[in-house]
Amino acid sequence: MKRNILTIILLVTCNISSFSQTRQPLYKDKNAPIEDRIENLLGLMTLDEKIKQMNQWTYGQNANPNNIGDKMKAVSPLIGSLLYRSTHPEYRNQIQKKAMEESRLGIPIIFGFDCIHGYRTIFPISLAQACSWNTDLVKKSCEISAKESWLSGLDWTFSPMLDVARDARWGRVSEGYGEDSYATSQFAIAAVNGYQGANLADKYTIAACLKHYVGYSLSEGGRDYHYSDVSMQTLWETFLPPFEAGIKAGAATVMSGFNDISGVPASANHYTLTEILKEKWNHDGFVISDWGSVRNLVEQGVAKDKKEAGMKSFLAGVEMDMVDDVYVDYLPELVAEGKISMTAIDEAVRRILRVKMQLGLFENPYVDVVSEENRYLLPEYLEVAEQLASESMVLLKNDNQTLPISSKYKNLAIIGPMAKDSINIMGSWEGMGRPEDVETIYEGLEKEFKNKADLHYAKGCDFDGDDRNGFSEALKAAEKSDVVIVFLGEKKNWSGENGSRSSIALPKIQEDLVEELLKAKKPIILVLSSGRPLELIRLNKLADAVVEIWQPGTMAGSAVAGILSGRHNPSGKLSITFPQSTGQIPIYYNMRESARPTLGHYQDIPRDPLYWFGHGLSYTTYEYSNIKLSSTQIKRSETLTAEVEVTNSGDIDGKEAVLWFIKDPVATISRPMKELQFFDKKFIKAGEKAIYRFEIDPMRDLSYVDSFGKKHLEAGDYFVIVNEQKISFQIID
Ligand code: BGC
């Protein structure tokens, strides 16, 4: 072993001396091939320099109460990465200058941050974005986030989150794209393309990070950070596909999760991190651990101390250690002891340097400094934010066409704790969003109904607690109005990280407020802002109309007011099922059929959930007709086109998302009751129609994956399902 160390020292010394003799080392030549530049640089680096590349430090005040790290006092020029929580590009450039000019080799730092649904312009939470079924708009929102982030000093965001989530008790359902793996994959692609653009080296683009790899959303009982029992079938069928899609789209980095995947924690899992990600999918970027998830291996009981945790995590395939300093503290010893080879260290550093090279950081280490007015909240950004927010909102119920608000209504009661809120309405992980940037719902309504109707506001009650003192004022406002609009919902920290809840119902005080308002005998419109599906078994019955607006962000006011007035025709459809009650969890559209399908359901609630995945009403009506297939029998190698004609038969223009499902009724392994395989959203003018097409590629769309990741396409009967209508075809040998 001593000999090994000596050889390493000698090699490094040789390289260092060859470095000093050369004026412009190859790695600084931007015209040389990236791989050659990396090899050249690796050859010049000491072990210490290499290990520092593999650590991420934190700068700035931590806004996430779950992650209170040590505040970094001085920034060493040698660090690999910084979690940068400042909005100052000048300061980033100053830190970067130190790295470029004061470190021996001038290796740039990569600056990362959680820009999850916007940086300063805050878009709706990801769960909501998925309800828009508009991947173009989601991509645009990510482009804007990237631009605002880059101009604030960032190269990298820890987004998108691709945890397919089916347990709404888990607060982090808000951060992902819902319960379906295919939908999540499509939004993964949109987000990666939006953040990374055509070329990562371009200005205004940032590296994406697919997280949390993998199976995190299956935390037992929805308790955050807990054990997740993930079968190999579920891993391959449900959790891996969005990550694979993101990798194929070119995502530069991946974050390993906190969760323990059936006994082998995600941050020490060689199978997922190396065998699948690097060897099967050929990912050539790097993996960063989640905040402290390396040292957490000790708590999880697979490492006796931090040193062993570092070794396990590194050997499994985590190249960068977020924040907990395990790598800087212990990798030198582990290398000296021969437990980790220099070859492995080199491969890890190579991956980190590759991303830095791809970002163009070596030749363009600094970001442009422009004024805040030219950086944030530009009118075109706000337009996208409003559009995405309005397309994300889901009209769950609309009895007697209570919505849009009729022009004959001259007095509107505006009740509830969410009406004037500017904090919770942004949701968790609100980037650098500020309450003062938010247009509250009340402000939006004032603008929308100016000279058309009078608003009568009363808060009624708080989000929780038992203070009913505001009820009488709220009832008075309701009595003098033609219609009562109640704005209820969740505080932002009730969902998101560490936001698990044993019940997904709103606190009783909010339900009681609605009961009280019934006394006014006016139509009731319920507007709900939440980071998860809610238990609406009681509230739904009390309201004439219900709209789920999620956590819409900066443009909440205009988007909500537009939906209520009819300026925006609702086009959102649920990306996650609303159960009848918390006890009905898990319930999701693509479950497997039970052995006795009519039996076994909970006796005390209806069998179906309150609102299925895909549910969402509009102010117009759409008729689906002429559903046809190009053939009813195809060979495995042939393709098939499914087509449907959708007519906007109402008198309002609208956008309709068509969701195409596949069902394989008999296969070697049981298949879900139906599986989403394609979706498309189009604008259809009132009275006009549009043709929607789904080009079926049998291997891609009809096959199933087994528990080893192998795809199988079987001959037999299949169904295409659109708008609950089924049409059958066969695959023949
Ligand atoms: C979260 C990640 C996040 C990281 C950095 C962790 O606690 O789980 O999603 O990217 O913190 O802020």
Side-chain angles (χ1 to χ4, degrees), residues 56 62 64 66-67 83 85 113-116 157-159 161 163 172 175 209 211-212 216 224-225 255-258 288-292 322-323 429 497:
Q56 180 175 70
N62 196 343
N64 177 352
N66 307 300
N67 298 339
L83 208 164
R85 294 197 175 100
F113 179 67
D114 291 282
C115 173
I116 308 295
T157 175
F158 308 128
S159 170
M161 185 188 106
D163 298 304
R172 303 198 85 169
E175 296 175 49
C209 182
K211 72 184 189 185
H212 306 86
Y216 181 27
D224 206 2
Y225 314 122
M255 185 185 291
S256 63
F258 288 124
I288 180 163
S289 57
D290 201 345
W291 181 284
M322 183 185 280
V323 147
W429 293 111
E497 188 175 349

Side-chain angles (χ1 to χ4, degrees), residues 52 94 180 198 206 409 441 481 496 512 531 550 570 573 635 681:
K52 288 215 167 73
Q94 223 175 299
D180 183 66
I206 55 178
Y409 290 157
I441 294 174
S481 302
D512 287 353
W550 306 109
K573 293 185 177 183
K635 294 198 182 123
K681 189 174 193 180

Side-chain angles (χ1 to χ4, degrees), residues 372-387:
E372 292 211 358
E373 297 73 67
N374 292 316
R375 209 191 305 165
Y376 302 136
L377 304 161
L378 304 189
E380 60 271 30
Y381 300 176
L382 299 181
E383 216 175 284
V384 174
E386 178 176 345
Q387 205 187 335

